[in-house]
Amino acid sequence: MAKLDRLQKLTILADAAKYDASCASSGSIKRNSKSSGGIGSTTGMGICHSYAPDGQCISLLKILLTNVCMFDCHYCINRSSSDVRRAAFTVDEVVDLTMDFYKRNYIEGLFLSSGIIRSPDYTMEMLVQVAKKLRIEHKFGGYIHLKTIPEADPALLADAGLYADRLSINIELPSDAAIAEFAPEKSGPLIRKTMADLSGRITEAKVERRKSRKAPLFAPGGHSTQMIVGADASDDAAILQTSAKLYTGVGLKRVYYSAFSPIPDASKRLPLAAPPLMREHRLYQADWMLRFYGFSVGEIIANAQGGLLDLDVDPKMAWALMNRQSFPVDLNRAPREMLLRVPGLGTKGVGAVVRARRFGRLRLADVERLCRSTRKMRPWIIAEDWHPGARLDSDMLRAQMARPAKQMDLFAA
Amino acid sequence: MIRIALAAETDIAGWRDAARGLLRAQIAPADVDWQVGRDSLFDHAGDDRSSVGGRANDIPPPRGPQPVISKELLRQIETALLHSDPERFALGYRIVYRAQSEPKIFLNPADPDMHRLRGLSKSIRRDIHKMHAFVRFRKIGSDENGRESFVAWFEPEHHITLAVAPFFRNRFTGMNWLIVTPEASIAWDGQTLATGPGGAKSDVPQEDAVEAEWKAYYGAIFNPARLKTKAMLAEMPAKYWKNLPEAALIPGLTREAETRMNAMIDKEQTAAIAIKDVMAPAQAHGFTDLDSLYKALSAATDYPQEDFSPTLVPGEGPGDAPMMFVGEQPGDQEDQAGRPFVGPAGQLLDRALAAASVNRDQAYVTNAVKRFKFVQRGKRRIHSKPSNQDVEYYRWWLEQERQIVQPQVIVALGATAVRALTGKSLTISRNRSQLIDYRDGAKLLITVHPSYLLRLPDGAGQKVEYEKFLRDLAMAQSALAA
């Protein structure tokens, strides 16, 4: 085979990396190059430098070091039995590409993952080398996210945390049984153990940092994971329960959900259909409810038919429809916890309502100024000049609140 | 009506001074007309207080005490003043005027003036954020020390160019850069952050070598199965596209997305492997047992002889075994013993069969090529891969062997066995680990040769591959039970 140039390798190894949903460059420390004289900064909030037509933010250079892999995970385009074209970057190629892209302001940094070649240790060592070279030789101050390999030596993970802003290990599937079936070389217990180890190191480094500014950083952007939705038979209830356990048990910063989408040369054991994007969206909404709105998994899935979230209304709306006795909520009196449960009222909206009602009783017109829209909210709230009356008990309410029919595609011929 | 002429669109200091004077003179907001001086429209010294001094004389003398404005409120207003809305100066003054009697006004998000101000500062923050994101540098060269120089063209919506300069300095400290906008330009040379007049798109280079790679990346990272153009447009409106090199790809990627996804789905549905019988149907041969078959084979004299040991190594195991293993060829030890799979690879196979609970006594083991091919190196005989012609010679005999044993499952160990059994060179990795329909209702399972496992350099890697091998053997075993 002819030797591939950097552009060809990039095309193959970016294509191989796109099934990782995360592209976040947020949540790390603030850093800049003013004193180092190098290149790169992080603002803490992340920047999306472009958007692909799939609506995904392009923040990081998201590539694999190589898509050659010993593992044979069914859902993965890079599994050893797949027919995809293979390529491998050298450490220097990844480093140069990252710097070239960063200096042109295309990216916030690098998200590097890899197929497992030779051995987990060997692969992990290469990933760490890339991060180390960027930080030390190139004084690179941008964002680095490294995928970690649970099977690798813990000492290598410890090294990775010194240079990376974020580390992640993909759990991929919600149950150990599904992992054993679809990713036979991986092990659920080992993944969770490694996550717990990472969590311990991250917390420890934070404590040390509080004592001394000179203490080394360890993955200041935390760690995250990804679960594939729709590849196996797990329902939303199982997925959300796994997420809740990961958030509380191993201190994850984020769980990403990735609707299983058809891949070239897919394993025959997987569904061949358009990805369940709406299901993925509902899971993200439910995830938000867990983390920011004070809901428990039990409440969210209490009315989920067959363990699946309602696709027509968002999960918060679904909860409200099933718990109408808790409404209407008086925006001028209700405690914050109850405001957070009002459909159509987000965390920012709740904050604005609480601040604004100190200045006087809120009318609907005031609420319109505080929130983007009151369409979803109206049946559920009381304001100074507004009461939903019988609407709340109407049989039509669910139909009124359901998402409108799909709009025409802007680019459709 | 008092007319206040500010020096420039970004003359925030001028607005601040004028607002102070107006407040002290207790002038109602409705009596002030804010304008940006026509003569100074192209004056970019936004922070230059002296340019305002003369005009401040139009303000009547103070009537009250020094006005008090909260720092936080002033910060919010000054952000909003970068907006291109011509009403912004009047809005800012109205709010500071009202703040004299309602000092906490800025804490009330429901107040209509504050709501409007928030709207302005929100679009400023967005514009700044988009400038951070969408500036695209192009390299123009580097000096003798290797310090590189870059230039970019950008068209912000509001008057934010000077406000973003520190961000770019802190991020791109280690290179020289210049950002040109229609209204102003900012530059960094490693020492000072300089500002200058605006320019035109033609002032900056129109290409950069790395852009081709960036476009390739943009095209490759896009997943055609998840087309969501609305979400893209919400965050990257078409007005920015003209200065983004990658945006040129959007129409094409969008148009082809559905075709590409359907192609992936369709391909999968037809991708099942079909092993067609490519070998001519075996002639009626008259062999009914293995003994007579091997007698005939050893009597044949037309076999390939060059580099081969003369010893014929027959298959071994029950003549009616339900499972048949086909390897490549005998090795040095097999050649000496005259029995298949007794060397290191055979021992590994035995271990694996035991680990995968496959009954060794039920298995018939044989090789695609029945004699040892080697090259002599000193005292050692080094294994040499049989050629396609070698395989072709023994293929017919292997098929006779299969017809006598009539196994339910045939396990092809390695590429040579696959070629002998199917007549094709199939990739092991793509075709292994599945039960493929074979002749006479038998199943074929393709896997690696045990000697491959022995050759792997690394302990951990060996373990992974060995586990896979075990799973393949277990799969073969399960097909028997079924």
Side-chain angles (χ1 to χ4, degrees):
Chain A
M1 200 191 301
K3 202 161 174 279
L4 299 172
D5 64 20
R6 197 170 83 165
L7 187 141
Q8 289 169 310
K9 287 184 184 179
L10 175 63
T11 308
I12 296 171
L13 294 169
D15 192 75
K18 70 177 157 210
Y19 301 98
D20 242 307
S22 166
C23 201
S25 55
S26 55
S28 194
I29 45 155
K30 287 186 183 172
R31 186 170 53 213
N32 65 51
S33 296
K34 239 163 107 184
S35 54
S36 76
I39 296 283
S41 62
T42 48
T43 57
M45 62 193 287
I47 297 173
C48 292
H49 285 269
S50 194
Y51 289 82
D54 52 17
Q56 302 273 23
C57 146
I58 301 177
S59 177
L60 303 172
L61 170 61
K62 183 160 60 176
I63 47 171
L64 301 190
L65 190 61
T66 173
N67 64 341
V68 178
C69 189
M70 300 165 68
F71 284 14
D72 200 22
C73 310
H74 287 272
Y75 49 78
C76 180
I77 185 179
N78 305 311
R79 69 189 188 287
S80 59
S81 59
S82 161
D83 184 21
V84 292
R85 211 163 160 210
R86 308 283 172 168
F89 274 129
T90 63
V91 167
D92 283 338
E93 278 174 329
V94 176
V95 169
D96 292 346
L97 197 57
T98 307
M99 293 309 293
D100 281 347
F101 274 22
Y102 197 92
K103 286 176 190 162
R104 284 157 182 81
N105 203 37
Y106 301 157
I107 52 168
E108 279 298 282
L110 174 69
F111 177 2
L112 188 63
S113 179
S114 182
I116 317 262
I117 37 165
R118 288 208 223 167
S119 77
D121 281 356
Y122 176 82
T123 312
M124 193 66 221
E125 217 176 305
M126 300 264 283
L127 297 182
V128 174
Q129 261 187 48
V130 170
K132 187 175 178 182
K133 214 161 188 178
L134 279 169
R135 288 279 191 248
I136 292 173
E137 276 181 34
H138 293 267
K139 293 189 268 181
F140 178 65
Y143 194 89
I144 299 180
H145 179 165
L146 290 185
K147 186 68 79 58
T148 38
I149 299 165
E151 291 78 10
D153 188 335
L156 288 167
L157 297 197
D159 269 3
L162 295 180
Y163 307 112
D165 290 282
R166 173 170 286 189
L167 299 174
S168 66
I169 301 168
N170 283 0
I171 192 160
E172 307 291 13
L173 297 161
S175 71
D176 285 358
I179 294 173
E181 188 186 349
F182 290 97
E185 280 85 22
K186 296 192 180 184
S187 139
L190 179 63
I191 291 172
R192 284 193 302 277
K193 185 187 165 292
T194 315
M195 283 179 176
D197 286 353
L198 275 185
S199 172
R201 283 181 202 275
I202 291 168
T203 323
E204 198 183 310
K206 277 206 179 116
V207 172
E208 289 301 315
R209 237 356 226 193
R210 239 169 263 143
K211 286 187 214 152
S212 155
R213 285 282 101 190
K214 286 189 180 130
L217 287 163
F218 188 90
H223 65 139
S224 62
T225 195
Q226 167 170 302
M227 254 191 277
I228 297 172
V229 179
D232 69 327
S234 303
D235 60 16
D236 295 343
I239 291 172
L240 289 172
Q241 269 150 1
T242 304
S243 296
K245 262 187 243 158
L246 291 172
Y247 281 131
T248 51
V250 297
L252 276 183
K253 198 123 185 179
R254 279 291 297 274
V255 175
Y256 290 92
Y257 304 95
S258 171
F260 178 72
S261 62
I263 48 175
D265 194 38
S267 159
K268 272 159 276 307
R269 295 164 68 182
L270 292 169
L272 293 163
L277 295 181
M278 187 41 88
R279 187 178 168 202
E280 176 193 282
H281 181 58
R282 294 292 182 232
L283 279 167
Y284 274 116
Q285 289 177 320
D287 188 271
W288 246 251
M289 287 167 71
L290 287 178
R291 291 191 294 148
F292 304 118
Y293 291 84
F295 285 85
S296 70
V297 178
E299 286 175 304
I300 297 171
I301 60 173
N303 299 297
Q305 303 230 331
L308 293 174
L309 296 171
D310 196 328
L311 293 184
D312 292 333
V313 295
D314 69 71
K316 201 167 146 193
M317 180 70 77
W319 180 84
L321 284 165
M322 289 298 167
N323 294 276
R324 296 192 199 191
Q325 73 284 354
S326 310
F327 294 93
V329 168
D330 187 341
L331 293 189
N332 284 303
R333 286 174 211 279
R336 176 183 282 268
E337 297 75 49
M338 201 53 222
L339 292 177
L340 282 168
R341 297 197 164 216
V342 174
L345 196 54
T347 45
K348 275 190 190 156
V350 168
V353 165
V354 171
R355 268 178 282 131
R357 68 187 183 184
R358 294 191 192 123
F359 290 86
R361 296 189 58 80
L362 300 178
R363 306 175 149 266
L364 207 53
D366 295 320
V367 182
E368 301 243 320
R369 277 196 291 273
L370 298 174
C371 309
R372 254 189 208 176
S373 137
T374 57
R375 187 188 74 85
K376 270 184 173 181
M377 210 188 296
R378 284 184 196 200
W380 310 98
I381 58 166
I382 297 173
E384 182 65 7
D385 55 351
W386 173 259
H387 193 286
R391 282 168 202 240
L392 190 50
D393 300 317
S394 161
D395 296 339
M396 302 292 291
L397 190 54
R398 188 176 189 288
Q400 285 163 5
M401 293 290 121
R403 68 188 159 120
K406 196 173 178 294
Q407 289 193 353
M408 292 270 287
D409 189 341
L410 209 97
F411 284 84
Chain B
M1 182 65 74
I2 295 170
R3 181 173 171 273
I4 303 290
L6 296 171
E9 293 287 349
T10 53
D11 187 7
I12 290 167
W15 174 85
R16 202 165 42 216
D17 287 350
R20 275 221 179 83
L22 291 166
L23 284 177
R24 282 199 81 176
Q26 296 176 346
I27 309 292
D31 297 332
V32 187
D33 177 21
W34 295 88
Q35 287 189 358
V36 174
R38 185 170 290 276
D39 50 334
S40 50
L41 198 63
F42 295 98
D43 178 0
H44 297 280
D47 242 357
D48 188 354
R49 280 150 191 271
S50 64
S51 63
V52 197
R55 293 184 189 87
N57 289 340
D58 304 341
I59 298 170
R63 287 165 58 191
Q66 195 62 251
V68 180
I69 305 169
S70 107
K71 260 191 189 155
E72 170 58 23
L73 176 60
L74 201 59
R75 198 186 56 76
Q76 290 184 21
I77 292 174
E78 289 184 357
T79 304
L81 291 185
L82 299 174
H83 204 280
S84 51
D85 184 345
E87 295 295 305
R88 64 194 186 277
F89 297 112
L91 174 68
Y93 181 63
R94 190 160 66 242
I95 292 174
V96 291
Y97 184 83
R98 286 183 56 203
Q100 299 312 303
S101 52
E102 309 165 63
K104 296 280 182 204
I105 177 179
F106 68 96
L107 291 173
N108 182 5
D111 182 89
D113 280 340
M114 286 306 293
H115 173 67
R116 216 167 130 218
L117 187 77
R118 208 166 55 238
L120 296 185
S121 46
K122 209 169 158 186
S123 42
I124 291 303
R125 279 198 305 275
R126 187 176 156 91
D127 202 31
I128 288 177
H129 189 75
K130 293 299 177 194
M131 183 160 176
H132 290 166
F134 295 152
V135 159
R136 295 286 180 264
F137 281 116
R138 286 174 168 147
K139 189 173 162 178
I140 52 168
S142 47
D143 66 13
E144 60 277 16
N145 302 320
R147 191 179 168 88
E148 296 167 297
S149 297
F150 293 83
V151 181
W153 164 253
F154 194 75
E155 295 168 63
E157 206 169 327
H158 304 293
H159 311 291
I160 57 164
T161 308
L162 303 182
V164 298
F167 169 86
F168 284 99
R169 177 201 54 209
N170 292 351
R171 169 160 293 203
F172 298 108
T173 319
M175 64 191 216
N176 296 346
W177 52 260
L178 165 70
I179 300 174
V180 185
T181 74
E183 199 176 79
S185 60
I186 47 178
W188 168 253
D189 61 359
Q191 303 298 324
T192 37
L193 199 52
T195 58
K201 189 171 184 173
S202 54
D203 294 346
V204 309
Q206 298 305 306
E207 50 185 35
D208 182 294
V210 178
E211 244 160 50
E213 285 175 310
W214 169 238
K215 285 184 183 174
Y217 176 71
Y218 184 82
I221 204 72
F222 162 59
N223 182 353
R226 306 181 53 117
L227 191 65
K228 275 189 191 169
T229 41
K230 248 168 110 182
M232 169 190 65
L233 282 166
E235 293 299 339
M236 196 166 82
K239 68 179 177 201
Y240 291 110
W241 290 12
K242 59 181 186 290
N243 293 322
L244 294 169
E246 68 272 24
L249 301 175
I250 294 171
L253 289 174
T254 309
R255 214 168 33 240
E256 291 155 21
E258 199 177 345
T259 328
R260 281 172 67 193
M261 179 177 80
N262 289 338
M264 278 189 269
I265 293 177
D266 292 346
K267 186 183 166 203
E268 301 326 325
Q269 283 160 352
T270 56
I273 302 170
I275 301 284
K276 292 225 179 71
D277 193 342
V278 290
M279 182 163 50
Q283 304 294 315
H285 49 67
F287 300 125
T288 52
D289 61 289
L290 292 165
D291 281 347
S292 56
L293 174 72
Y294 274 102
K295 216 169 270 170
L297 177 52
S298 59
T301 53
D302 57 344
Y303 65 88
Q305 297 188 359
E306 199 182 341
D307 302 331
F308 273 97
S309 156
T311 316
L312 182 75
V313 180
E316 196 175 275
D320 57 349
M323 201 185 283
M324 174 165 160
F325 287 88
V326 181
E328 185 195 43
Q329 64 169 345
D332 181 56
Q333 291 187 35
E334 283 82 5
D335 182 62
Q336 286 172 31
R339 292 178 54 205
F341 285 100
V342 294
Q347 287 157 21
L348 180 66
L349 178 65
D350 285 351
R351 261 211 321 281
L353 287 174
S357 318
V358 176
N359 191 347
R360 179 75 166 79
D361 302 333
Q362 282 189 15
Y364 181 84
V365 293
T366 188
N367 282 302
V369 171
K370 311 287 188 204
R371 290 182 173 89
F372 178 38
K373 189 177 191 181
F374 64 93
V375 281
Q376 193 79 38
R377 290 263 167 77
K379 286 183 180 170
R380 295 177 60 206
R381 299 193 296 171
I382 307 293
H383 166 277
S384 161
K385 194 178 183 309
S387 70
N388 283 348
Q389 288 95 313
D390 301 335
V391 175
E392 205 52 43
Y393 175 80
Y394 288 102
R395 245 186 109 202
W396 187 85
W397 295 96
L398 179 66
E399 172 62 11
Q400 307 315 312
E401 200 174 8
R402 184 195 68 80
Q403 289 187 14
I404 294 163
V405 180
Q406 287 288 340
Q408 297 165 39
V409 179
I410 304 155
V411 179
L413 302 168
T416 304
V418 171
R419 180 154 187 113
L421 287 161
T422 66
K424 291 190 269 198
S425 294
L426 297 173
T427 321
I428 304 283
S429 60
R430 276 167 51 193
N431 297 294
R432 69 182 291 178
S433 314
Q434 46 186 313
L435 295 163
I436 302 164
D437 287 329
Y438 197 65
R439 298 187 190 105
D440 300 338
K443 297 282 181 194
L444 173 68
L445 184 127
I446 295 173
T447 187
V448 294
H449 195 280
S451 65
Y452 162 74
L453 302 176
L454 293 172
R455 282 199 307 272
L456 286 173
D458 181 274
Q462 219 172 43
K463 187 166 166 279
V464 170
E465 286 297 332
Y466 181 67
E467 301 278 327
K468 273 202 233 174
F469 186 60
L470 289 190
R471 280 203 304 278
D472 286 348
L473 295 182
M475 183 181 264
Q477 174 76 6
S478 71
L480 274 192

